[in-house]
Amino acid sequence: MTAQLDAAWKPRAQALADELESRGDLTDPAWKAAVAATPRHVFVPEVYEQGTDAEWRPVDVTSPSGLKRVYSPTTLVTALADRGTHREGISSSTKPDLMVRMLEALDVHNGHKVLEIGTGTGYNAGLLSHRLGDEQVFSVDLDAELVNPARDRLASIGLHPTLVTRDGAEGLQEHAPFDRIIATCSVPTMPRAWCEQLADGGLLLADIQLGVGAGNLALLRRDGDQLEGRFTDRWAAFMMIRHHNERPRMLHAPADAGARTRTTSTPPNPWQDNRVVWFLAHLMGLPPGVRYGMRFDPDTRQPTAGTITAPDGSHAFVMLEPTPNGTWSVTETGPTPLWAAVERAHRQWREAGEPGWTRIGLTVTPDDQVVWIDQPTSEHQWSLTA
């Protein structure tokens, strides 16, 4: 089987590199060579896919269909955790197209020392090691159950970057400073350790997520004790960074009593149709831990409303079908008026000229982290740490 795999993966890896180049995800020949030379299947011996019944099932990555999936621009869930009532993915191999876009955005050059937050399967560390040499690559992850196998997989193809089991938010002080830091997990604010361990003039690329789907990748450059930059054009989201001894947030059942129904001029489903507004809404009053979802017609199973629910039991649903006058019906229950924060965000977004992600920036100082539109001195700015 090994000989068959050796014969099968190389043309698939080359085809993946060619596809990423033709799509515009790859422009640097050095990164294309790294994709073509790195056997992704080695890093994902276990892959799971979720069926329509929400159950997770293993994928045979050695089969022709499994190899086709591995060498495609697809995110692969590689580790699950038992949450009592269900299992959920806790580690994945990121979509290769997103991975190479991030690596190219990082503007890596020969001689750069790079810290990766979130070792995962080790595949990204493999690409970095091929490009820079493994002595320049450092990677951390929370669980030895992820780091140790990743180290073995890398060693099996002759690569030996420095991998450490540690809470990613701590970075890797003993090997700092780093010319580049890349995080393949999301954070609500930039950890101070990352900022301090980045070399002056260095770049940090990480996913800022204030809630589920509420954020994007931000590319920041260090200048003295300050980091500043903008969000990237194409949206992306990663699993939230994990810490030891975390407790899942308790969710109260949505309140049914005291329903308040009115109309709104703010379109429903911003988490899908206007992610900038959804991000801003978390800066304007949406409480931490908000979840979004859908209501479906019980007969047709077609979606009828978008919903948001907060941990305190507050709930809002907005009908997808507009009223005759072009507004939408919104019903809220519970102590927190959730849709009001979305309305404020939509209004600010309109007043600012309906900005896309690249007009939104982030400034990180030792005292604060501030989101702004167009420029740091803009009247449209909000603190992440307030």
Side-chain angles (χ1 to χ4, degrees):
M1 180 60 74
T2 300
Q4 292 176 343
L5 279 177
D6 286 344
W9 79 262
K10 292 181 180 179
R12 291 185 183 276
Q14 184 63 59
L16 174 61
D18 292 340
E19 179 182 0
L20 295 176
E21 182 181 48
S22 66
R23 289 168 32 149
D25 298 310
L26 266 177
T27 61
D28 186 337
W31 286 122
K32 183 179 180 182
V35 173
T38 305
R40 192 184 186 203
H41 70 278
V42 169
F43 297 92
V44 289
E46 295 182 334
V47 172
Y48 302 90
E49 61 181 358
Q50 194 170 30
T52 55
D53 57 0
E55 292 296 321
W56 291 95
R57 296 178 178 84
V59 174
D60 180 5
V61 298
T62 65
S63 68
S65 62
L67 278 176
K68 181 178 180 181
R69 185 181 180 91
V70 167
Y71 289 97
S72 68
T74 304
T75 294
L76 304 173
V77 175
T78 56
L80 302 173
D82 190 344
R83 300 307 189 198
T85 59
H86 66 285
R87 293 193 299 169
E88 69 178 24
I90 60 169
S91 185
S92 65
S93 180
T94 305
K95 285 163 56 72
D97 54 326
L98 171 57
M99 203 173 292
V100 296
R101 291 203 312 270
M102 291 177 67
L103 291 172
E104 290 210 349
L106 208 58
D107 191 28
V108 170
H109 297 279
N110 292 340
H112 276 168
K113 187 161 68 169
V114 178
L115 172 63
E116 176 194 32
I117 309 296
T119 306
T121 67
Y123 178 64
N124 200 46
L127 295 176
L128 283 163
S129 296
H130 186 280
R131 171 68 178 81
L132 294 170
D134 50 21
E135 71 280 0
Q136 299 297 105
V137 179
F138 301 78
S139 184
V140 300
D141 212 316
L142 183 67
D143 297 322
E145 292 81 0
L146 294 176
V147 173
N148 293 338
R151 184 183 294 113
D152 292 341
R153 293 166 194 151
L154 286 159
S156 75
I157 60 171
L159 299 175
H160 303 276
T162 300
L163 270 55
V164 178
T165 301
R166 184 171 300 174
D167 187 323
E170 299 174 9
L172 205 55
Q173 177 59 46
E174 62 267 35
H175 294 288
F178 299 97
D179 300 291
R180 301 290 188 267
I181 298 177
I182 181 171
T184 53
C185 55
S186 67
V187 290
T189 59
M190 288 295 183
R192 192 65 213 158
W194 300 359
C195 305
E196 293 171 349
Q197 292 171 26
L198 185 66
D200 199 28
L203 292 175
L204 190 166
L205 180 63
D207 180 27
I208 294 289
Q209 294 284 334
L210 307 184
V212 179
N216 196 8
L217 296 170
L219 181 63
L220 309 182
R221 184 179 295 277
R222 181 172 182 177
D223 182 7
D225 63 355
Q226 174 177 291
L227 278 72
E228 193 165 272
R230 295 177 184 266
F231 289 86
T232 60
D233 183 29
R234 294 172 66 175
W235 181 81
F238 285 88
M239 294 179 180
M240 186 63 71
I241 192 171
R242 296 181 298 118
H243 308 283
H244 284 300
N245 303 317
E246 273 186 323
R247 294 184 178 180
R249 186 184 297 274
M250 296 299 295
L251 296 176
H252 297 281
D256 293 325
R260 308 174 297 275
T261 299
R262 58 184 176 84
T263 59
T264 178
S265 59
T266 299
N269 291 2
W271 48 86
Q272 176 178 313
D273 300 329
N274 194 330
R275 291 191 173 104
V276 170
V277 167
W278 183 235
F279 173 65
L280 295 177
H282 285 71
L283 294 169
M284 298 185 191
L286 277 183
V290 164
R291 301 284 178 172
Y292 63 79
M294 300 288 286
R295 284 194 176 190
F296 295 86
D297 184 288
D299 297 321
T300 67
R301 299 305 301 162
Q302 294 302 305
T304 60
T307 67
I308 48 178
T309 305
D312 66 0
S314 297
H315 182 70
F317 67 89
V318 185
M319 302 304 295
L320 301 182
E321 187 70 28
T323 65
N325 64 1
T327 60
W328 291 267
S329 173
V330 55
T331 299
E332 295 179 291
T333 58
T336 307
L338 300 176
W339 196 249
V342 180
E343 290 171 319
R344 287 193 293 273
H346 187 261
R347 186 164 53 251
Q348 288 270 331
W349 175 74
R350 292 291 299 273
E351 290 175 358
E354 303 184 1
W357 282 113
T358 56
R359 287 179 54 194
I360 301 175
L362 175 65
T363 300
V364 178
T365 67
D367 301 319
D368 204 358
Q369 301 192 21
V370 177
V371 172
W372 40 265
I373 296 177
D374 290 331
Q375 54 186 348
T377 56
S378 167
E379 60 177 313
H380 300 291
Q381 58 176 263
W382 306 268
S383 173
L384 291 179
T385 56

